[in-house]
Amino acid sequence: MQSFLTPEADLFSVWHLGIPDVAADRWSLTVGGEVAHRLSLSLDDLRALPQTEITSVHECAGSPLAPSIPQRRVGNVQWGGVLLSDLLRLAEPENEAAYVISAGIDHGVYDSAYHDHYEKDLPLDKAVDGTTLVALTVNGAPLPPRRGGPVRLVVPGYYGTNSTKWLTSLTVSDRRSTGAFTTKYYMDPPADVSSQATPVWELAPNSCLVAPVDEDVAVGKPVEIWGWAWACEPVACVDVSVDGGQTWTSAEVTSRTGHAWQRFTLAWTPSSVGEHILACRATTLSGATQPSTPRRNRIHQRVVFVTQEQP
Ligand SMILES: Nc1nc2c(c(=O)[nH]1)N[C@H]1C(S)=C(S)[C@@H](COP(=O)(O)O)O[C@H]1N2
Ligand SMILES: [Mo]
């Protein structure tokens, strides 16, 4: 968590159905559904199109069987590949098109049921926003098989679950996918009786503390409290607490590039010996913030033990 870009080897990796054995030389991507021109592209076809890079926070939404338990699987990487908007410009979606459904070739058992492929969807507006990528690389290197290689979808600003790995088809549709991973799983239950279940798409505001750790803190010694904050939209402020959330001070926050995470820092000089509960809370430009109740983006707290002597 120390570096702005997470080395690929340090990034979490998640799969529901196992890792398929993909033959890159026989791999192809189809773009179909409600389009004027159906496309079928080989790996070389994709490589021949203009390539774009975007740095983007990559966060897992957690288990769909326990969606309110924070998992804190997150990193920040640079993805490279072809903009989905470029492919859709070639395919020309029909007037009624509203969603893009993505499918991977992995299959297997999840939650006691057999799934013959992994399928997700996203609104067409997001698909053409100039950030969504049909990705070939991560941090400048070809996508390893574990990471979804040779080709995966990357939806910056959305939870990782939407970034379909081992991508083989994109289907433009006037309605949402009817697959289990968009209906049964990754639909958050309604907040109250008057609202509806919502797809797990946009990243809710979240943040995590990276430093200090126990070895860094002593009475009278100035330290820097720092960490990362992110959301689908830019984070405007991060508040930090050193007393378990009773009082908050606003930290310095860097501005955002692409969909990357933003660094926050606050100077702190501990004044008493013992346990201190540090916490951080990100708020976006539109005022969305992190809850203290059990949610996947619940406020992160960490205990540090302040010693008398400077170590
Ligand atoms: N084909 C396919 N794509 C998938 C998944 C999957 O099980 N199959 N898991 C999703 C989930 S839940 C996450 S968090 C991300 C993880 O991507 P990573 O392994 O590169 O971290 O991939 C998503 N894409
Ligand atoms: Mo995930």
Side-chain angles (χ1 to χ4, degrees):
M1 299 300 285
Q2 300 285 326
S3 57
F4 175 70
L5 273 190
T6 310
E8 196 277 330
D10 292 346
L11 186 64
F12 70 88
S13 196
V14 170
W15 50 82
H16 285 292
L17 310 171
I19 302 177
D21 194 2
V22 185
D25 54 339
R26 280 185 285 129
W27 177 93
S28 76
L29 172 69
T30 58
V31 182
E34 291 164 23
V35 294
H37 313 284
R38 188 185 155 85
L39 312 178
S40 177
L41 302 149
S42 69
L43 213 43
D44 283 340
D45 293 335
L46 277 183
R47 289 190 187 117
L49 289 163
Q51 305 291 302
T52 299
E53 283 183 331
I54 181 160
T55 301
S56 166
V57 70
H58 185 48
E59 183 184 17
C60 171
S63 168
L65 305 178
S68 57
I69 298 178
Q71 292 289 335
R72 306 192 196 289
R73 294 190 190 108
V74 66
N76 187 61
V77 289
Q78 188 183 52
W79 304 103
V82 179
L83 281 175
L84 181 51
S85 55
D86 285 351
L87 295 181
L88 291 176
R89 198 170 304 121
L90 297 171
E92 290 182 35
E94 312 275 15
N95 286 339
E96 62 279 15
Y99 300 94
V100 177
I101 297 170
S102 58
I105 56 163
D106 46 329
H107 53 91
V109 174
Y110 177 70
D111 193 22
S112 308
Y114 178 77
H115 303 270
D116 61 8
H117 68 291
Y118 184 80
E119 185 174 300
K120 297 297 297 186
D121 62 17
L122 72 162
L124 182 62
D125 289 349
K126 178 62 188 169
V128 299
D129 77 347
T131 68
T132 303
L133 278 186
V134 171
L136 304 168
T137 65
V138 57
N139 291 347
L143 286 174
R146 188 186 73 257
R147 186 76 45 217
V151 177
R152 77 179 295 170
L153 192 66
V154 169
V155 190
Y158 274 28
Y159 282 102
T161 173
N162 300 290
S163 293
T164 302
K165 312 207 281 189
W166 313 294
L167 180 72
T168 52
S169 90
L170 292 166
T171 307
V172 176
S173 172
D174 62 352
R175 63 202 70 180
R176 291 202 65 198
S177 152
T178 56
F181 292 96
T182 50
T183 53
K184 184 168 184 193
Y185 310 114
Y186 300 107
M187 282 296 285
D188 280 340
D192 51 59
V193 284
S194 61
S195 51
Q196 293 183 329
T198 44
V200 178
W201 280 336
E202 297 188 354
L203 291 172
N206 209 347
S207 57
C208 65
L209 293 154
V210 177
V213 293
D214 278 355
E215 297 72 55
D216 305 330
V217 287
V219 170
K221 181 191 168 193
V223 284
E224 194 175 63
I225 299 173
W226 75 268
W228 304 108
W230 64 92
C232 185
E233 54 169 336
V235 168
C237 77
V238 178
D239 296 311
V240 169
S241 174
V242 295
D243 57 12
Q246 292 172 55
T247 59
W248 297 89
T249 307
S250 58
E252 299 263 317
V253 192
T254 59
S255 57
R256 186 164 87 165
T257 52
H259 268 282
W261 59 19
Q262 295 164 251
R263 196 176 195 268
F264 65 87
T265 46
L266 181 72
W268 179 45
T269 307
S271 57
S272 62
V273 172
E275 281 191 351
H276 292 249
I277 302 172
L278 309 187
C280 56
R281 182 181 65 196
T283 304
T284 65
L285 280 177
S286 69
T289 191
Q290 298 182 238
S292 51
T293 48
R295 290 283 299 164
R296 65 169 67 83
N297 63 332
R298 182 182 197 155
I299 292 168
H300 182 210
Q301 294 193 336
R302 153 188 294 181
V303 178
V304 288
F305 193 87
V306 176
T307 53
Q308 187 60 255
E309 297 299 315
Q310 188 160 324

